[in-house]
Amino acid sequence: MSDTTSIVIFGASGDLTKRKLVPALFSLFCKDRLPEDFQLIGMARTDYDSEAFRNQMKSAMQEFAPAKFIEDEWDRFAEKVHYVCGDFGEEHARVELRERLRATEEANGGRANRLFYLATPPSVYESALVGLGETGLAQQDRGWRRVVIEKPFGRDLASAHHLNEVAHQVLDEEQVYRIDHYLAKETVQNLLVFRFANSIFEPVWNRLYIDHVQITVAESVDVGHRGRFYDGVGVMRDMFQNHILQLLSLVAMEPPASFNSNDIRNERVKVLRSLRPMRKREVAENSVRGQYRGYLDDPGVAEESKTATYAALRLFIDNWRWTGVPFYLRSGKALAGKTTEILIQFRSVPHLMFPMEPGEQIRPNQLELCIQPDEGMHLRFEAKVPDTNATMRSVDMEFHYADAFGPGAIPDAYERLLLDALNGDPSLFTRADTIELAWGLIDNILAAWESDPQPPLAIYEPNTWGPKEADEFIAADGRAWELGCAGRRS
Ligand code: BG6
């Protein structure tokens, strides 16, 4: 007798499966990290049989993850891959899926664990959850049952709350794994290690030493072929509600009591609870919304769309550690480069004893956490220029993952997520309360953006770092956006 672990992907003929899920599962297989008797069952309406699905996945591996593709290993992996053609709402497809599961589970005879992955369009999440309830497939007997739900989880607080209710009718919260792939990026996980496995940063990680924090998630890609989807979503829902608020919570959280998932998630959610609520009339002065020139010509975008492809926000966390420290967040598409970075700007020295020209100042220390693509960090401090009396220059102390751990040491986030879901560790997934708190904040901002008089929509040129209004926004506080990791471009 041996245990079976079945991974069932709903929406298996879509992009996510071939670009992310199958490469991640195959890589885990090659590293011998998948359970011994696992099977992967893809399910979708596209008319494949198992053989055709395997061939599609093989071509996808060769196209999207060629460096990870190993022919012999693939043949062993492919033996465990099956496909069920049909809509999960239809009886015949349900019967076929149940039989496919049972065939292996009964042959093995041991515990039957099942991981269901909703890689479908979000409009189908609810019916998939209901279907799991109706079929009893997610009922925990003879093994665990878990359900992974991709983002976006809802499009506002009301829809996210409703989806949570539907999920909780079928599953316990412990069985629900809501994806935010940023949480599983190696550099994001490292925020916990950096802050809580080193003693030198924590004493200065507060309002007494930190002037402000910037989080930048810049993308050079425009919305491309995703126009129809994106136009109904915009940057606030697409990037801020999830990825950026999660980065913020990791930077700002208190030390958790342990590495246990609930302890960590409790601290993350406390940050969101401490965010100063923004009243409608305060939104305009605390945000900038922008759209890149040319967006309206992208396929699928409404003619006079006001959807923001760029946003900058100023947030405050009202607690003992952070009161008075502004957190500036920005993200956009069609920018001059792809970079995700967190900048901690320390306060200036309290007294300057060095001879300086009138008005001359020294630059405060900065810590730049480079999330991607050049993963690492830089610490900026002042150094005396040799052979001068006391001329100073800023220099960097740098750490790069590629130098310290070798090139290719960083796995794709989906490897971590799939492995954790299989192992029952939800630390890097978003809990129901967190999702709803985040939506509450974003709803307020969107409501203010969408009600009359609407705040202006700043048009920016593609291939720049965003609208000049965003520079003016932060300049009004006597500060400037900085891009340390992306080569101090701005
Ligand atoms: C997704 C967004 O969640 O994250 C996309 O829907 C965005 O619009 C992507 O491009 C960015 O992810 P990454 O890992 O490339 O930074």
Side-chain angles (χ1 to χ4, degrees):
M1 289 230 297
S2 62
D3 295 350
T4 310
T5 301
S6 303
I7 303 163
V8 181
I9 303 179
F10 293 120
S13 55
D15 252 21
L16 182 73
T17 307
K18 52 182 184 222
R19 284 175 191 265
K20 294 288 181 188
L21 303 184
V22 166
L25 286 167
F26 179 60
S27 175
L28 291 171
F29 175 78
C30 295
K31 293 177 187 168
D32 218 8
R33 293 191 186 162
L34 289 185
E36 195 156 335
D37 271 310
F38 82 95
Q39 60 173 341
L40 170 59
I41 305 174
M43 185 169 182
R45 284 186 299 191
T46 310
D47 190 13
Y48 294 140
D49 57 13
S50 290
E51 199 45 43
F53 181 63
R54 286 181 201 123
N55 289 337
Q56 284 290 328
M57 293 306 115
K58 181 174 177 179
S59 322
M61 273 302 305
Q62 288 164 323
E63 184 179 349
F64 299 118
K68 287 186 187 158
F69 185 73
I70 308 166
E71 185 98 36
D72 295 353
E73 293 285 318
W74 177 264
D75 293 342
R76 290 203 307 123
F77 178 80
E79 283 169 17
K80 295 170 179 284
V81 177
H82 309 278
Y83 186 77
V84 173
C85 174
D87 184 327
F88 189 47
E90 292 165 6
E91 191 51 29
H92 79 92
R94 293 180 173 187
V95 171
E96 211 185 310
L97 176 60
R98 185 179 288 119
E99 276 167 11
R100 180 65 259 164
L101 285 164
R102 281 210 189 126
T104 317
E105 289 171 357
E106 283 176 11
N108 289 341
R111 289 168 64 79
N113 303 319
R114 296 174 187 164
L115 182 73
F116 297 96
Y117 200 117
L118 308 192
T120 60
S123 55
V124 185
Y125 293 165
E126 180 170 347
S127 58
L129 289 165
V130 171
L132 285 171
E134 285 169 354
T135 53
L137 287 174
Q139 216 159 26
Q140 312 231 51
D141 54 359
R142 280 205 321 113
W144 53 254
R145 309 282 189 268
R146 294 178 195 135
V147 179
V148 180
I149 307 178
E150 261 298 329
K151 77 170 269 275
F153 192 93
R155 56 168 283 110
D156 52 21
L157 174 56
S159 55
H161 181 69
H162 174 70
L163 201 51
N164 275 332
E165 283 186 334
V166 173
H168 292 153
Q169 275 160 22
V170 181
L171 307 156
D172 293 335
E173 175 60 22
E174 291 64 44
Q175 293 173 270
V176 186
Y177 288 67
R178 298 172 194 77
I179 292 261
D180 183 331
H181 75 283
Y182 264 61
L183 283 174
K185 287 181 188 284
E186 207 52 65
T187 39
V188 176
Q189 294 175 60
N190 188 48
L191 286 169
L192 284 186
V193 174
F194 177 73
R195 289 193 51 201
F196 305 127
N198 295 297
S199 60
I200 57 173
F201 301 105
E202 206 44 32
V204 294
W205 208 260
N206 58 51
R207 56 191 291 273
L208 299 179
Y209 294 93
I210 293 178
D211 175 74
H212 75 278
V213 175
Q214 295 180 17
I215 301 181
T216 299
V217 183
E219 294 189 279
S220 50
V221 291
D222 56 22
V223 302
H225 68 279
R226 295 169 80 217
R228 192 172 305 282
F229 160 78
Y230 191 89
D231 204 38
V233 174
V235 68
M236 251 320 138
R237 293 188 173 94
D238 192 43
M239 300 299 285
F240 280 75
Q241 183 274 336
N242 36 67
H243 310 323
I244 298 183
L245 287 182
Q246 291 298 347
L247 292 178
L248 170 78
S249 64
L250 284 161
V251 170
M253 72 198 267
E254 294 302 315
S258 79
F259 199 52
N260 165 288
S261 66
N262 257 336
D263 285 345
I264 296 175
R265 299 203 294 179
N266 285 344
E267 294 305 336
R268 287 211 309 258
V269 83
K270 268 161 65 180
V271 175
L272 299 186
R273 279 207 193 99
S274 309
L275 279 174
R276 186 182 301 170
M278 233 191 256
R279 278 168 296 194
K280 220 169 178 180
R281 63 188 147 81
E282 294 165 339
V283 170
E285 69 193 73
N286 284 297
S287 69
V288 173
R289 59 177 194 147
Q291 188 185 77
Y292 62 83
R293 192 179 301 287
Y295 172 73
L296 296 180
D297 302 328
D298 285 341
V301 171
E303 236 170 65
E304 290 187 8
S305 172
K306 295 268 183 281
T307 298
T309 61
Y310 176 99
L313 288 186
R314 181 197 295 108
L315 295 181
F316 288 95
I317 300 172
D318 285 336
N319 64 14
W320 274 63
R321 188 187 285 266
W322 294 117
T323 289
V325 178
F327 283 72
Y328 299 99
L329 318 178
R330 62 173 170 163
S331 178
K333 298 253 185 227
L335 299 180
K338 178 169 173 74
T339 182
T340 301
E341 46 190 84
I342 300 169
L343 176 125
I344 313 290
Q345 164 98 46
F346 292 93
R347 289 188 184 278
S348 301
V349 290
H351 167 66
L352 258 186
M353 55 163 270
F354 300 101
M356 300 190 80
E357 299 296 323
E360 197 187 346
Q361 286 182 337
I362 60 172
R363 300 171 81 192
N365 296 123
Q366 269 180 4
L367 175 68
E368 287 142 0
L369 305 167
C370 309
I371 304 298
Q372 61 181 20
D374 180 12
E375 293 88 354
M377 51 189 74
H378 307 189
L379 180 63
R380 187 178 82 185
F381 55 92
E382 293 304 289
K384 176 176 172 293
V385 177
D387 205 15
T388 63
N389 178 28
T391 305
M392 281 167 274
R393 210 183 77 192
S394 304
V395 293
D396 270 358
M397 203 144 73
E398 296 191 14
F399 151 65
H400 296 270
Y401 276 73
D403 300 339
F405 301 109
I410 297 194
D412 188 80
Y414 276 87
E415 282 191 37
R416 177 89 262 143
L417 291 168
L418 283 159
L419 194 60
D420 283 1
L422 287 167
N423 289 335
D425 180 352
S427 311
L428 304 179
F429 295 82
T430 315
R431 221 166 48 184
D433 53 352
T434 311
I435 283 260
E436 293 193 15
L437 273 166
W439 272 124
L441 180 92
I442 297 304
D443 274 8
N444 263 350
I445 296 171
L446 289 175
W449 280 5
E450 284 157 15
S451 60
D452 284 335
Q454 290 194 353
L457 181 68
I459 302 299
Y460 61 98
E461 299 303 323
N463 212 15
T464 63
W465 289 107
K468 67 172 183 1
E469 286 80 349
D471 296 337
E472 291 161 5
F473 168 72
I474 192 168
D477 291 353
R479 302 181 174 108
W481 296 110
E482 300 244 6
L483 283 173
C485 306
R488 299 201 185 289
R489 297 163 296 183
S490 193

